[in-house]
Amino acid sequence: MTVGATLRVGVIGVGDFGERHLRAYARQPGVTIVAVADKNAEHARAVAAHWGVQRWFADGAALIESCRPDGVSVVTPGFDHLEPTLAALDSGCAVLLEKPVAMSSGEVAIIEAAVEGSAAFVMPAHILRFTAPYIALHARVRAGAVGRLLGISSSRDRGRGHARLYADVHLALMTAIHDIDLAIWLSGSRALRVSAHERGREGDGPARLVWGQVEAVDGSVWSLRGSWLLPDSPPLADRLEIYGTEGAAVLALAPTVTILGSPIESVDHEVTPEAHSGAIDAEISHFLACIRKRAGSDIVTLAEAAHGIHIAEALIASARAGGDPVDVGD
């Protein structure tokens, strides 16, 4: 992977969040967005025109083959992550891969094998590791502010619309994957076994409540709860509690500022704010720095993301078995 003074990047998948990646790249110095790709060719063309990007494609692999960028964001739905990621790695192009990085442990293994044979790397886009309140909490917990870690409890509740948007993705792989990753990051440990329950299915639809418990190698226990049960209005605050031998730490963070006017508005103030840089800018800045130094991230690794997928799979298996404990694979 030869890197020039100006980094050349592309974005594959330019729905709402893909455009947020575009906005963040556009704010970075020394970066040229060479192309975008989306399965909806007309949408790809329109997004390229809006952002002044010269080239657009209906296929991510075609973008990589034709443009040979230094790095790409893969912001497609999870089921479409594998092909563009493998194409990028084969061409020596670094990948910022949105969560979930894959839909199964089998797909993760394929990506890991491709990284081993590539000059490039994959950086999982676990954005909460770049969000200021979580960074502050991580620093204090890892410095021993609550003593030896005993337990983690997290809750993340979203609207019922998620069950429609992600009808083919289990909640554990979509919403709860954030909390799985936070537990891995905060504990610095790995999961041994899990037990979980799911509720709220309607017909063939997805479970809308998942509640799991994880036993970790370091002896800590993690309670993870996620739901898609709320009305489609501003969500409850995400809550994270850390318990240790010397005390506890609590973070309650609403992802938006709620404006109770007419109409009611939810203004993002942490992840992808319109008016100033946020966590996604920090994440993409770090990705670009990794490309320049030709090395993967030391903040979030593919191995950690892969372990998160193993945990999510175990939670799903346990929930579907009525809560029976399931060992977490490697």
Side-chain angles (χ1 to χ4, degrees), residues 194-198 210-213 314-325:
V194 310
S195 58
H197 295 273
E198 60 181 31
V210 174
W211 211 315
Q213 180 168 297
L315 288 168
I316 294 167
S318 175
R320 291 178 175 170
D324 291 345

Side-chain angles (χ1 to χ4, degrees), residues 3-291:
V3 178
T6 298
L7 293 182
R8 303 170 67 256
V9 301
V11 177
I12 300 171
V14 286
D16 175 67
F17 215 76
E19 284 211 65
R20 299 185 193 203
H21 278 244
L22 277 171
R23 185 182 302 116
Y25 280 123
R27 290 197 280 229
Q28 301 292 324
V31 174
T32 297
I33 304 168
V34 295
V36 300
D38 197 275
K39 282 190 170 182
N40 183 331
E42 181 57 29
H43 180 66
R45 184 202 63 76
V47 169
H50 176 77
W51 288 97
V53 177
Q54 295 300 309
R55 304 187 68 183
W56 57 271
F57 298 83
D59 178 73
L63 180 157
I64 292 160
E65 181 179 359
S66 180
C67 298
R68 298 288 173 174
D70 299 307
V72 291
S73 285
V74 175
V75 202
T76 60
F79 289 107
D80 293 325
H81 278 182
L82 195 58
E83 182 183 3
T85 299
L86 296 181
L89 291 170
D90 187 56
S91 72
C93 171
V95 181
L96 179 59
L97 185 56
E98 267 298 341
K99 63 87 186 169
V101 294
M103 300 306 294
S104 69
S105 55
E107 287 188 357
V108 167
I110 292 170
I111 293 171
E112 289 180 307
V115 169
E116 287 295 318
S118 175
F121 62 87
V122 170
M123 175 178 149
H126 285 182
I127 196 167
L128 296 186
R129 296 196 186 203
F130 297 89
T131 305
Y134 291 105
I135 293 170
L137 179 64
H138 176 264
R140 285 161 175 78
V141 169
R142 300 297 290 161
V146 298
R148 181 173 58 84
L149 181 68
L150 299 177
I152 297 172
S153 176
S154 67
S155 60
R156 192 171 301 270
D157 301 290
R158 295 294 182 264
R160 297 168 194 151
H162 278 59
R164 296 187 296 272
L165 284 172
Y166 308 115
D168 54 353
V169 183
H170 197 279
L171 194 156
L173 278 166
M174 180 54 65
T175 298
I177 201 72
H178 285 295
D179 299 291
I180 292 169
D181 182 64
L182 286 173
I184 293 169
W185 186 43
L186 287 161
S187 68
S189 189
R190 295 174 63 83
L192 283 173
R193 67 188 59 84
V194 310
S195 58
H197 295 273
E198 60 181 31
R199 298 289 187 271
R201 286 187 180 275
E202 294 183 355
D204 294 331
R208 294 188 294 168
L209 173 69
V210 174
W211 211 315
Q213 180 168 297
V214 180
E215 300 171 57
V217 171
D218 66 354
S220 64
V221 292
W222 314 339
S223 175
L224 310 174
R225 192 203 77 215
S227 81
W228 293 340
L229 291 168
L230 302 183
D232 290 323
S233 59
L236 295 174
D238 300 329
R239 189 171 179 88
L240 183 61
E241 301 171 1
I242 313 296
Y243 298 93
T245 55
E246 303 298 326
V250 178
L251 174 60
L253 179 66
T256 59
V257 173
T258 302
I259 309 299
L260 298 175
S262 181
I264 295 175
E265 295 181 79
S266 296
V267 181
D268 179 6
H269 65 92
E270 283 287 351
V271 176
T272 59
E274 292 278 356
H276 60 88
S277 62
I280 196 167
D281 286 69
E283 178 182 69
I284 282 179
S285 177
H286 178 67
F287 175 58
L288 296 171
C290 290
I291 295 174

